[in-house]
Amino acid sequence: MITNLKPGERLDDLQIKGYKIIQNPGQFCFGMDAVLLSGFAEVKEEEKVLDLGTGTGVLPLLLEAKGKGSSFQGLEIQEDSVDMARRSVAYNRLSDRITIVRGDIKEASQLFGHVSFDVITTNPPYMINDHGLKNPAGAKAIARHEILCSLDDIVRESAGILKEKGRFYMVHRPFRMVDIFEKMSFYGIE
């Protein structure tokens, strides 16, 4: 099958259902956190899933491979990542089940409408913008630091687009746990 790889890109095996993903190590590649998140996020039959900050689309691909859920969407702001994610979806012949949307997490409720998803997953930037060492590469810095969105943006928008009794799954650093629980409580996410 033709992959249409661009310079610097590679095709990685996801080790499930023969699925593969296009990534560029010079920009950003998914890590173990995404794999762990896909393992503990529960998706039931006929549920709609949204992955906020999907990057190259690894979470929609891994969650779809588990065989449950009616549709999977990924929201990503970086055009190069959106392009790789869309080509990975097409490569795996999953365009009828997975949609990748280019957009800003801060506008998720406007893009998708209120109470529209049963499950939201996110593997957000861990570092506050001025905390820790910042990678000089723009794509990596955006993926790791709160440059284009904050934890507050993610929790606020998730609260707006989750259906009643919907589930929110996130991987984050322990040093942010108090902040996470305070924001979830403020926005009414249990």
Side-chain angles (χ1 to χ4, degrees):
M1 175 181 281
I2 298 172
T3 61
N4 297 323
L5 290 177
K6 295 180 179 178
E9 293 179 348
R10 67 182 191 211
L11 189 63
D12 294 332
D13 189 343
L14 290 175
Q15 301 293 310
I16 187 166
K17 290 182 77 173
Y19 291 176
K20 298 194 183 327
I21 189 167
I22 298 169
Q23 300 192 99
N24 183 332
Q27 292 180 17
F28 189 79
C29 294
F30 76 88
M32 184 54 74
D33 291 348
V35 176
L36 294 171
L37 180 55
S38 75
F40 74 79
E42 181 184 6
V43 178
K44 298 175 184 171
E45 296 293 331
E46 301 306 314
E47 288 188 324
K48 291 177 60 178
V49 180
L50 173 64
D51 181 41
L52 294 174
T54 199
T56 56
V58 67
L59 277 163
L61 288 166
L62 292 173
L63 291 171
E64 192 286 334
K66 292 167 74 173
K68 296 184 179 179
S70 64
S71 69
F72 302 84
Q73 294 191 49
L75 177 64
E76 175 59 43
I77 197 166
Q78 296 188 74
E79 182 58 45
D80 288 343
S81 294
V82 169
D83 178 56
M84 284 183 270
R86 287 177 176 162
R87 286 185 286 128
S88 293
V89 168
Y91 178 88
N92 291 292
R93 296 185 174 104
L94 295 169
S95 297
D96 60 327
R97 305 237 326 126
I98 300 174
T99 304
I100 305 298
V101 176
R102 181 168 189 236
D104 192 331
I105 286 172
K106 294 181 285 207
E107 299 170 354
S109 57
Q110 293 171 20
L111 290 168
F112 299 106
H114 291 283
V115 295
S116 49
F117 290 95
D118 302 288
V119 175
I120 293 177
T121 59
T122 186
N123 186 12
Y126 293 146
M127 305 305 251
I128 300 166
N129 192 16
D130 58 356
H131 190 261
L133 296 175
K134 194 178 294 183
N135 192 301
K140 288 182 182 181
I142 289 168
R144 294 179 179 150
H145 286 80
E146 292 183 349
I147 295 171
L148 297 181
C149 72
S150 67
L151 180 58
D152 190 68
D153 296 328
I154 291 165
V155 176
R156 180 192 66 245
E157 291 301 304
S158 295
I161 57 180
L162 264 177
K163 291 180 179 178
E164 188 174 338
K165 308 253 186 216
R167 294 175 311 285
F168 176 77
Y169 298 96
M170 176 172 60
V171 172
H172 216 296
R173 295 268 173 107
F175 81 91
R176 299 289 305 273
M177 293 306 291
V178 171
D179 195 25
I180 291 167
F181 288 126
E182 286 174 353
K183 289 180 187 331
M184 289 175 65
S185 176
F186 179 80
Y187 290 111
I189 298 177
E190 296 177 10

